[in-house]
């Protein structure tokens, strides 16, 4: 009987070899990755939540952090000033995909980022559980709060940049929401809150600064026209340009009028400075048609239109359409037709002008730190593009200062600070829907420290009476003051 | 004349102490780590836990020293280690279940069952002085086994859990009688096969190059098998059914050495599987789950979906190479994480590394059991140990294979680890019996056994033998095989040829069949006072040597006695003059 016994022991050995091979395959082979990524795998969420996720820090204060709790997840995400910072932090949810910095800096926050490898190895030896790193933002809390307060109950958005670096100083979107309600550990409660937010007609979860429905930029787009005109070298701020009360582009019978049908300059011509000061439409439309769609598109794209950008959240590209005919181009030149922009985009236009024509890439994360607070990454400001020359920038600065000092931008005046700005009142094109009020500016004009763009949807509190001047400019002034004051 | 194996395997009782300490360290530190990782402090009952486990180990060890001093020293520590790890994991899952407000308290119950299991194992070691005593109960074991199998179908005491009617409930306790039936049926199969093996082996018709047994020999076995499997089909438990089948086929194969049984067995499996697949929707569902586990439709199907299996796979994948660490994973997300799916829990928290280590522990237990089967001299013991060793290995295969999706999932428990009293108790008794058999297998040849006794030459030879044993220690491999190299074999057979005074060459190994035959001849013509009985015995052994299974004999085994086995109960007080009663069923060419 020994011979079959030996064979039996070989069979037993073979069975175990099979088991071991299969266990290796399942646990450490190709299927393991797919199983770990399976959306039905609750462990992935537990793993994310079970980690001591690092905080999101604004000026030394944690605006989002994780606190140990006694439930299966182990940690509860806390948002100290949820709605104020929601467009920045986004939310971290067990049920829905995370957004904002929570999503885009996830690797650092949960401690899996490559830059934290060394610390993970240390933890392996010291036996500590994996801790996340912290993320420090560029946000200036004073500017953020000022923008939040000044927007009040109006729907809209504010972006403030440091034109010298591209650092995002303020990113406010209203209405907002509290990410805490989505960070709960009760799936049903989170689902309910999510559904409520989704059904809210004001779209509180949309970050209007970079990812909302894009807005027609209206007259603020004239800064792009002006850049193209001055860059051509054929014009100076004092050049007299055609400024009829009505301009009918070739190929259409629909004329373009100045705001309120007003007379611009002497009724036939105006200087560029004057045209910008009172925001005439006809000179910009006619010059754009004269110089061609390609030239304007090129200039717009140099400022960032039609370009991808991540800050680290993805910024919806602002749109300047291609293949425009003359009537469309004439409309586009005054920020209408299919031209669409994010507040981020218009802040970038101001920032480029402020920074001697050099557009710095906007960014939100200043510093990344490991769990032990060692700095593991610092933002390096980079140049996004050079849309205009320093000379053009200087001319435009002067003209924009004139807008605030003597023109439509007067509500943005700040005592003792030279503000350069441009208003915009973008028609919705829909009957009964009030225009969007725009203002973009930077200050101080001689040493720019902040560039800002404000949009207030559907006229805000003033409705059809709204203009960029009355609704948006005061908000911009407040944000500029907050930045300069701090 | 007979030849002898000179080397006395070390009993290893002292080595066992070291291994037991190691096993206790593994089990108790796992328990401590669970507490540290889950609550930040050592479990309050850590010392009690340690004392109980250590106490059980000490009692088992002393029982072995007292009643089975030559028993395998590796098996017990391995089983203690597995049981301890299982207890730690069950306690760990209790904590998670409690925190989710679910019924817990499995760890305490499992500890109680462990104590009961160990007590029964000690009783088995102490009371069962010789495993051949069990042979007397061949047919009563059959009856008792079948009664146990049928118990869950009795209306009042039967309990149905998750669609399988496999439990009996008495008071608040429930018990799975099939686990005990496993032992009884193994005893029956061993007793029956060893009596009928000649008929099963030699008679029959040859077909397709394979010799198939006569229908009359086959009938009673197939009947018993059909009854046990039929009962299980009625009770709707695929796993136990498969287990009995594996036990049956493996023991039949060992008894008869005939591959035709394997063929018949596999055919029966195939027929059974097809029949079950077509007849029982729950079996068909199991196959769907196995083949299309990740399909959303199958995943969400309720009942009979793949949710549990896939969640177990998620756990295994989450464990990866090193595991999450005890208490730091989420094994409780899998239904039945402490019983049917304890493998997934272990794989998640101990990782692939831990799971492989656990599998190796089981593998060594099974191989040690098979080693005992090879070593023991009587056919009944061989069959019994082989059956038990295989049933443990096979159960692990079915459970781990099911959880890792190698084979369709069936509802079996992981021996020694899964929460569940019946399985734990039954497996502890199985280990006790295997230890008993291994004691017989490893017991040094009593003076007189294995050679012609009552003659002066032999007495001198035995003195030599003892001296030799004192200075020789044979190298032992992982699974305890004693290896005899070819060189060793051939040189010693050369000695056998040169020196006809067989007894004076005590370190003999028999190289070939012809050597054996020559020695047998030699012995038959020996002037020593061979009785007729001895001649008959030698004659039988000769016939057996020429028999179908004899070809490999002597090639690698140390050949001991030709003539007789001394009954185990009398081993300790050899009587040089007694020839002993020769059991015609017992192996004669057995190795050491």
């Amino acid at each position: 009987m020994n011979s079959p016994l030996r064979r039996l022991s070989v069979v037993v050995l073979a069975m175990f070899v099979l088991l071991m091979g299969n266990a290796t395959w399942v646990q450490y082979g190709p299927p393991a990755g797919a199983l770990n990524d399976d959306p039905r795998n609750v462990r992935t969420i537990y793993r994310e939540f079970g980690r001591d996720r690092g905080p999101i820090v604004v000026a030394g204060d944690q605006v989002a952090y994780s606190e140990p709790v006694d439930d299966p997840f182990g940690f509860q995400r806390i948002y100290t000033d949820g709605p104020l910072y929601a467009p920045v932090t986004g939310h971290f949810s067990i049920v829905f995909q995370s957004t904002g910095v929570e999503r885009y800096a996830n690797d650092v926050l949960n401690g899996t980022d490559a830059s934290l490898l060394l610390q993970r190895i240390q933890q392996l030896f010291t036996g500590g559980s994996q801790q996340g790193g912290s993320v420090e933002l560029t946000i200036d809390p004073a500017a953020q709060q000022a923008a939040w307060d000044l927007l009040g109950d109006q729907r809209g958005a504010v972006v403030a940049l440091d034109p010298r670096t591209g650092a995002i100083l303020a990113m406010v979107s209203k209405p907002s929401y509290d990410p805490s309600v989505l960070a709960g550990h009760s799936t049903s409660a989170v689902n309910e809150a999510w559904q409520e937010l989704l059904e809210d007609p004001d779209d509180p979860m949309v970050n209007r600064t970079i990812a909302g429905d894009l807005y027609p930029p209206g007259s603020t787009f004239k800064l792009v026209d002006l850049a193209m005109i001055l860059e051509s070298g054929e014009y100076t701020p004092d050049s007299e340009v055609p400024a009829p009360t009505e301009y009918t582009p070739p190929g259409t019978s629909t004329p373009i009028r100045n705001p309120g049908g007003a007379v611009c300059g002497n009724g036939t011509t105006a200087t560029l400075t004057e045209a910008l000061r009172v925001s005439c439409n006809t000179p910009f439309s006619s010059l754009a048609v004269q110089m061609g769609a390609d030239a304007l598109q090129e200039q717009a794209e140099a400022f960032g239109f039609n370009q991808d950008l991540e800050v680290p959240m993805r910024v919806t590209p602002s749109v300047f359409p291609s293949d425009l005919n003359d009537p469309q181009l004439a409309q586009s030149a005054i920020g209408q037709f299919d031209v669409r922009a994010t507040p981020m985009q218009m802040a970038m236009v101001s920032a480029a002008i402020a920074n001697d024509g050099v557009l710095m890439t906007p960014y939100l994360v200043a510093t990344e730190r490991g769990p032990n607070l060692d700095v593991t990454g610092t933002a390096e400001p980079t140049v996004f593009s050079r849309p205009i020359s320093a000379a053009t920038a200087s001319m435009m600065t002067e003209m924009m200062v004139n807008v605030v000092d003597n023109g439509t931008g007067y509500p943005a005046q700040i005592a003792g600070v030279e503000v350069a700005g441009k208003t915009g009142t973008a028609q919705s094109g829909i009957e009964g829907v009030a225009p969007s009020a725009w203002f973009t500016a930077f200050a101080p004009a001689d040493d720019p420290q902040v560039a800002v763009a404000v949009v207030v949807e559907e006229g805000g509190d003033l409705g059809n009476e709204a203009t960029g001047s009355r609704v948006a400019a005061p908000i911009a002034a407040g944000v500029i003051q907050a930045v300069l004051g701090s | 004349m007979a030849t002898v194996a000179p080397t006395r395997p070390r009993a290893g009782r002292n080595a066992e102490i070291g291994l037991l300490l190691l096993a206790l360290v593994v089990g108790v530190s796992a328990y401590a780590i669970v507490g540290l990782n889950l609550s930040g402090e050592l479990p309050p009952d850590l010392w009690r836990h340690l004392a109980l486990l250590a106490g059980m180990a000490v009692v088992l060890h002393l029982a072995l020293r007292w009643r089975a001093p030559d028993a395998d020293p590796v098996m017990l520590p391995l089983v203690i280690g597995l049981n301890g790890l299982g207890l730690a994991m069950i306690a760990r899952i209790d904590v998670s279940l409690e925190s989710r407000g679910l019924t817990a308290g499995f760890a305490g119950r499992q500890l109680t069952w462990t104590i009961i299991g160990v007590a029964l194992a000690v009783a088995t070691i102490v009371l069962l002085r010789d495993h051949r005593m069990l042979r007397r109960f061949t047919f009563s074991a059959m009856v008792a086994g079948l009664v146990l199998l049928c118990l869950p179908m009795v209306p009042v005491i039967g309990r149905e859990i998750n669609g399988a009617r496999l439990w009996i409930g008495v008071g608040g306790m429930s018990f799975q009688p099939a686990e005990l039936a496993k032992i009884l049926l193994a005893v029956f199969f061993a007793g029956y096969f060893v009596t009928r093996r000649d008929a099963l082996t030699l008679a029959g018709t040859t077909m397709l190059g394979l010799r198939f047994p006569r229908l009359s020999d086959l009938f009673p076995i197939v009947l018993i098998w059909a009854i046990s499997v039929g009962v299980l089909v009625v009770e709707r438990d695929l796993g136990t059914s498969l287990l009995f089948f594996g036990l049956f086929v493996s023991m039949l194969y060992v008894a008869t050495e005939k591959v035709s049984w394997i063929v018949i067995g596999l055919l029966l499996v195939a027929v059974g599987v097809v029949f079950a697949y077509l007849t029982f929707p729950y079996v068909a569902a199991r196959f769907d789950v196995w083949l299309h586990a990740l399909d959303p439709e199958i995943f969400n199907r309720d009942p009979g979906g793949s949710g549990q299996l896939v969640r177990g796979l998620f756990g295994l994948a989450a464990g990866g190479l090193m595991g999450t660490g005890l208490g730091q994973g989420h094994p409780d997300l899998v239904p039945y994480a402490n019983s049917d799916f304890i493998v997934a829990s272990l794989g998640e928290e101990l990782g692939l590394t831990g799971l492989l280590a656990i599998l190796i522990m089981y593998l060594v237990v099974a191989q040690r059991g098979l080693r005992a089967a090879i070593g023991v001299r009587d056919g009944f013991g061989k069959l019994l140990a082989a059956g038990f060793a295989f049933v443990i290995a096979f159960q692990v295969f079915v459970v781990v294979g099911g959880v890792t999706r190698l084979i369709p999932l069936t509802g079996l428990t992981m021996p020694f680890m899964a929460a569940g009293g019946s399985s734990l108790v039954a497996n502890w008794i199985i280990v006790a019996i295997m230890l008993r058999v291994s004691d017989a297998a490893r017991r040094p040849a009593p003076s007189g056994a294995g050679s012609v006794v009552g003659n002066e030459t032999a007495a001198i030879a035995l003195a030599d033998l003892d001296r030799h044993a004192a200075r020789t220690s044979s190298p032992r491999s992982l699974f305890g095989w004693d290896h005899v190299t070819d060189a060793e074999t051939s040189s010693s057979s050369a000695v056998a040829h040169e020196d006809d005074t067989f007894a004076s060459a005590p370190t003999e190994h028999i190289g070939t069949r012809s050597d054996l035959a020559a020695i047998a001849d030699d012995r038959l013509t020996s002037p020593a006072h061979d009785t007729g009985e001895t001649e008959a015995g030698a004659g039988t052994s000769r016939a057996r040597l020429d028999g179908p299974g004899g070809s490999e004999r002597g090639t690698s085994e140390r050949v001991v006695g030709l003539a007789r086995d001394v009954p185990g109960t009398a081993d300790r007080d050899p009587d040089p003059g007694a020839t002993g009663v020769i059991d015609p069923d017992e192996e004669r060419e057995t190795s050491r």
Side-chain angles (χ1 to χ4, degrees):
Chain A
M1 283 193 230
N2 286 348
S3 148
L5 281 173
R6 286 178 199 287
R7 286 195 206 114
L8 196 64
S9 81
V10 172
V11 169
V12 167
L13 186 64
M15 290 193 314
F16 276 77
V17 166
L18 264 177
L19 286 183
M20 292 178 188
N22 194 54
T24 310
W25 177 254
V26 168
Q27 289 202 264
Y28 202 56
L35 288 168
N36 278 328
D37 293 341
D38 195 297
R40 293 167 294 192
N41 190 347
V42 191
R43 276 178 190 77
T44 312
I45 297 153
Y46 274 116
R47 190 162 50 235
E48 285 292 336
F49 272 78
R51 286 198 185 111
D52 191 356
R53 190 176 174 84
I56 300 174
V57 178
V58 169
D61 291 327
Q62 299 180 344
V63 296
Y65 63 95
S66 286
E67 203 173 67
V69 287
D70 191 20
D71 72 8
F73 293 98
F75 289 95
Q76 171 67 54
R77 198 71 170 155
I78 311 266
Y79 297 91
T80 48
D81 213 341
L84 176 61
Y85 288 102
V88 181
T89 59
H91 57 254
F92 183 62
S93 165
I94 57 165
V95 187
F96 302 101
Q97 186 168 40
S98 303
T99 58
V101 171
E102 293 279 25
R103 175 175 171 189
Y104 288 92
N106 188 44
D107 286 353
V108 175
L109 290 171
N110 71 17
T112 57
D113 194 73
S115 66
L116 300 176
L117 180 66
L118 202 65
Q119 308 203 353
R120 278 206 301 283
I121 293 171
Q122 281 172 3
Q123 284 159 11
L124 195 67
F125 285 104
T126 57
S129 61
Q130 185 171 325
Q131 281 184 307
S134 59
V135 170
E136 291 178 13
L137 304 183
T138 54
I139 296 291
D140 177 340
Q144 184 85 2
Q145 191 66 50
W148 174 266
D149 293 344
L150 289 167
L151 267 174
D153 294 333
Q154 306 174 100
R155 278 181 289 139
V158 176
V159 171
L161 300 175
D162 184 334
R164 297 162 296 183
T165 59
I168 297 171
L169 302 176
M171 182 180 262
V172 172
S173 174
K174 273 204 164 175
S176 189
Y177 70 105
D178 189 348
S180 305
V181 301
L182 299 180
H185 291 175
S186 153
T187 309
S188 59
V190 169
N191 264 313
E192 206 172 297
W194 174 268
Q195 212 53 43
E196 204 172 299
L197 289 171
L198 269 192
E199 284 164 8
D200 190 326
D202 288 340
D203 293 334
M205 282 194 292
V206 169
N207 181 356
R208 290 169 161 75
T209 61
I210 56 170
D213 298 333
L214 301 179
Y215 306 91
S219 296
T220 53
F221 191 76
K222 287 170 187 163
L223 293 173
V224 179
D225 303 335
L226 187 61
M228 170 190 70
I229 293 163
L230 293 174
E231 280 288 285
S232 71
E234 294 165 26
Y235 299 88
T236 66
D238 297 331
S239 300
E240 290 283 341
V241 293
T245 307
E246 273 190 20
Y247 165 66
T248 309
T252 179
S253 54
T254 311
I256 285 173
R257 297 188 180 86
N258 293 321
V263 175
C264 185
N266 61 15
T268 28
T269 62
T271 61
L272 279 172
T273 303
E274 176 65 8
L276 192 72
R277 184 183 73 82
V278 294
S279 199
C280 304
N281 288 339
T282 52
F284 291 102
S285 288
S286 60
L287 282 172
V289 170
Q290 189 188 318
M291 298 178 80
D294 289 349
L296 189 52
Q297 184 178 351
E298 198 179 314
Q299 186 64 60
E301 287 178 356
F303 277 114
F305 281 82
N306 301 340
Q307 308 283 315
D308 287 323
L309 174 64
E310 284 165 3
V311 294
M313 294 93 89
R314 183 171 177 274
V315 178
T316 311
S318 299
V319 180
F320 188 88
S322 310
D323 303 323
L324 297 171
N325 59 29
D326 286 343
Q328 292 167 345
L329 176 58
Q331 289 285 337
S332 299
I334 54 172
Q336 302 286 344
F337 186 58
D338 284 344
V339 178
R340 295 290 181 273
T342 57
M344 174 63 73
Q345 175 62 66
M346 295 325 292
M348 286 162 72
V349 171
S350 281
I353 300 164
N355 196 36
D356 296 332
V358 180
L359 176 55
M360 303 303 289
T361 312
Y363 64 91
L364 193 53
V365 175
T367 314
E368 294 168 357
R369 289 180 191 272
N372 54 6
L373 301 182
D374 286 349
V375 173
T376 54
T378 311
E380 300 270 339
T382 55
V383 173
F384 182 84
S385 64
R386 295 171 194 274
I388 52 174
S389 67
T392 306
S394 149
M395 287 186 276
M396 289 181 75
T397 303
E398 213 166 294
M399 294 164 81
M400 287 168 74
V401 169
N402 187 44
V403 169
V404 173
D405 285 354
N406 308 307
T408 54
Y410 68 89
Q413 288 172 2
I414 302 169
V417 178
E418 227 178 10
V419 178
K422 179 72 193 84
T423 56
T425 309
Q427 304 303 321
S428 63
I430 304 164
E431 196 64 37
V433 176
S436 294
W438 277 92
F439 192 74
T440 182
F442 60 89
D446 53 346
D447 174 27
Q449 294 169 29
V450 53
V452 60
V454 177
V455 68
V456 178
E457 285 180 17
E458 294 180 26
D461 295 339
L462 293 183
N464 281 322
E465 299 301 307
T467 61
S469 173
R470 291 175 67 187
V471 175
I475 299 173
V479 172
I480 288 168
Q481 271 181 307
V483 173
L484 298 182
S486 59
Chain B
M1 299 308 253
T3 181
V4 287
T7 55
R8 182 196 194 284
R10 283 174 301 176
R13 289 274 79 77
N14 293 335
E16 188 178 67
I17 294 176
L19 291 172
L20 277 172
L21 281 175
L22 204 62
L24 287 174
V25 166
V26 168
V28 176
S29 56
Y31 190 73
I33 289 167
V34 164
L36 283 175
N37 276 343
L38 285 174
S39 65
E41 53 199 37
L42 289 171
D45 59 350
L46 179 66
W47 298 113
R48 193 182 68 110
H49 193 78
L50 172 63
L52 281 173
L53 279 189
M56 285 187 269
V58 167
V59 171
L60 278 162
H61 177 75
L62 292 178
L64 286 179
R65 270 194 191 270
W66 180 32
R67 285 297 168 92
D70 291 306
D72 190 299
V74 179
M75 212 183 278
L76 179 62
L78 285 170
V79 171
I80 292 265
L82 290 170
N83 200 334
L85 274 176
L87 281 169
M89 180 49 77
I90 291 165
R92 181 256 171 277
I93 287 166
D94 267 357
V95 176
S96 286
L97 292 178
E98 263 163 34
S99 76
R100 284 165 47 177
L102 299 172
T103 331
F106 292 96
R109 244 172 296 163
Q110 183 78 350
L111 191 58
T112 311
W113 280 115
T114 305
I115 295 168
I116 296 172
V118 167
L120 289 174
V122 169
T124 307
I125 292 165
V126 171
L127 299 178
L128 184 68
R129 299 293 301 276
D130 189 308
H131 59 270
R132 280 172 293 188
M133 282 160 67
L134 291 173
R135 198 177 162 184
R136 282 185 234 149
F137 305 110
T138 299
F139 285 91
S140 17
M142 176 196 79
V143 173
L146 292 182
V147 166
L148 279 177
L149 274 181
C150 296
L151 267 185
M153 293 195 292
V154 178
V156 181
I157 54 171
R159 297 271 186 281
E160 184 168 319
I161 302 179
N162 299 321
R165 196 176 178 88
L166 204 63
W167 285 263
I168 52 167
V170 182
M173 306 279 269
S174 63
F175 200 83
Q176 220 175 323
E179 290 286 347
L180 283 181
K182 190 165 76 179
I183 304 175
L184 293 167
L185 287 185
V187 169
F188 163 66
F189 288 150
Y192 183 78
F193 290 156
V194 89
T195 314
R196 293 298 189 86
R197 61 183 294 236
D198 283 344
L200 289 168
T201 310
L202 300 173
T205 52
T206 305
M207 194 165 53
L208 299 169
L210 293 167
R211 195 197 299 258
F212 286 93
R214 284 186 314 211
L215 208 58
S216 59
D217 296 320
L218 199 57
F219 183 72
I221 301 166
V222 173
L223 184 69
I224 300 297
W225 169 78
I227 289 174
S228 63
V229 171
V231 162
L232 290 162
V233 166
V234 172
E235 291 170 9
R236 290 170 54 113
D237 185 72
L238 204 59
T240 314
S241 187
L242 199 60
L243 193 68
F244 276 98
F245 191 76
L247 177 71
F248 175 75
V249 171
S250 62
M251 289 181 73
L252 193 51
Y253 170 65
V254 171
T256 61
E257 313 189 7
K258 298 196 72 63
V259 181
S260 59
W261 283 114
I262 308 276
V263 175
I264 294 170
L266 290 179
L267 282 175
L268 281 171
V269 165
V271 170
V273 164
V274 171
F275 173 76
Y277 185 85
L278 296 175
T279 317
F280 304 109
Y282 76 97
V283 176
R286 288 279 170 90
F287 272 84
D288 280 354
V289 161
W290 176 49
L291 293 171
H292 311 288
L294 293 169
D295 289 3
E297 194 188 319
I298 304 243
F299 180 84
N300 293 321
R301 191 167 65 186
D302 188 42
S306 66
Q308 184 187 28
L309 175 66
V310 171
R311 287 190 185 99
L313 292 175
F314 286 158
L316 287 168
L321 187 62
M322 300 304 293
T324 58
L326 278 169
Q328 295 185 330
H330 299 280
D332 53 298
L333 292 176
V334 187
Y336 296 93
N338 57 11
S339 54
D340 288 12
F341 268 70
I342 199 164
V343 173
S345 307
L346 293 163
E348 178 173 359
E349 300 216 317
L350 301 178
L352 178 62
T353 319
L355 190 55
L356 292 187
I358 288 167
L359 286 176
I360 288 170
M361 287 166 84
Y362 281 109
L363 176 60
V364 175
V365 169
Q367 295 285 17
R368 281 283 175 167
L370 287 169
R371 167 66 197 143
I374 287 172
V376 80
R377 271 153 283 185
D378 65 297
F380 177 75
K382 278 180 184 299
L383 280 173
L384 196 60
F388 284 150
F390 185 78
V391 90
I392 287 179
F394 192 62
Q395 191 160 346
V396 170
F397 180 77
V398 170
V399 173
V400 179
V403 170
T404 59
R405 216 178 147 212
L406 182 65
I407 56 171
L409 185 65
T410 54
L412 278 179
T413 53
M414 195 75 165
F416 306 111
M417 300 190 100
S422 344
S423 158
L424 193 59
V425 166
N427 282 309
W428 266 112
I429 296 174
I430 285 175
V431 163
I433 298 174
M434 284 204 296
L435 283 167
R436 166 55 64 212
V437 176
S438 76
D439 177 59
R442 294 159 51 88
R443 192 172 302 160
S447 25
S451 72
V452 183
V453 289
N455 105 15
E456 284 173 21
T457 326
I460 295 162
L462 285 165
D464 275 347
L465 187 152
D466 285 341
R467 274 202 303 282
H468 186 84
R471 58 174 194 270
T472 313
S473 59
S474 67
R476 304 185 73 78
S477 69
L478 178 65
F479 302 136
W481 306 125
D482 289 344
H483 290 291
V484 178
T485 62
D486 287 345
E488 202 181 339
T489 313
S490 56
S491 71
S492 56
S493 61
V495 173
H497 284 299
E498 282 165 22
D499 191 350
D500 269 353
T501 318
F502 181 63
S504 67
T507 59
E508 279 330 346
H509 306 290
I510 300 305
T512 62
R513 237 167 91 191
S514 57
D515 287 349
L516 260 180
I519 291 159
D521 283 340
D522 182 39
R523 189 170 169 278
L524 285 171
T525 56
S526 148
H529 61 284
D530 286 334
T531 63
E533 216 176 333
T534 332
E535 277 181 55
T540 309
S541 66
R542 182 115 189 257
R544 294 278 301 116
L545 289 171
D546 294 330
S551 57
E552 109 292 355
R553 269 174 215 127
T555 51
S556 66
E557 290 155 26
R558 294 170 186 216
V559 176
V560 186
L562 279 176
R564 64 190 67 111
D565 283 315
V566 176
T569 41
D571 279 348
R572 299 282 160 206
D573 47 354
D575 175 1
T579 50
V581 180
I582 291 171
D583 183 338
D585 298 323
E586 291 186 353
E587 290 286 298
R588 277 168 195 82
E589 77 288 10
T590 34
S591 60
R592 302 279 327 167

